[in-house]
Amino acid sequence: MLWLLSFAILMLGVSLFLQKYANMKTKGWKALFTNKIWLFAVVLAFLHFLVYMYVLGFERLAIVQPLMSLSIVVAMICSVMFLKEKMPKTDIIGFLLILLGLFFIGGAIIL
C-alpha cells in the first residue's frame, strides 16, 4: 500500500508547486478561482486527500503521516528546478532533517 502513498505524496507535492506557480502568475486572490492551473492544483490536492484516507485504512498513522513530509520535499525540488528559486541554508537544513527523520522511521519500520 506504500506505493499508493508514494503516488499521493507526488500528487500533493505537485499540487503545492502548481498552486505557488499559479499564485505568482495571478493578480489578486479572487482571480485564482478562474486560473486553470490553480483549479487543477486544487483538484490534485483533493485527490491526494482521498488516496491518503484510503491508505490510512491499511497502514499505521505513525508510518503514513511522517512520509507525507516528502510532499514538501517534492514541492521544494520543483520550485528550484522550474521556478529557479534559491534555497537558503535554513531550507537546505530542513530538507536534510526531513530526509534524516524518514531514515530513522524507515529503521523503526524494519525493527
Side-chain angles (χ1 to χ4, degrees), residues 6 14 20 34-35 44 49-50 53 58 61 77 83 94 105:
S6 301
V14 170
K20 180 178 178 108
T34 58
N35 186 308
L44 266 182
F49 178 74
L50 294 178
M53 286 293 138
F58 297 96
L61 180 64
I77 291 170
L83 299 179
I105 288 171

Side-chain angles (χ1 to χ4, degrees), residues 65-81:
Q65 189 56 43
L67 290 174
M68 289 306 301
S69 64
L70 283 176
S71 62
I72 302 298
V73 171
V74 170
M76 288 170 67
I77 291 170
C78 287
S79 293
V80 168
M81 288 176 56

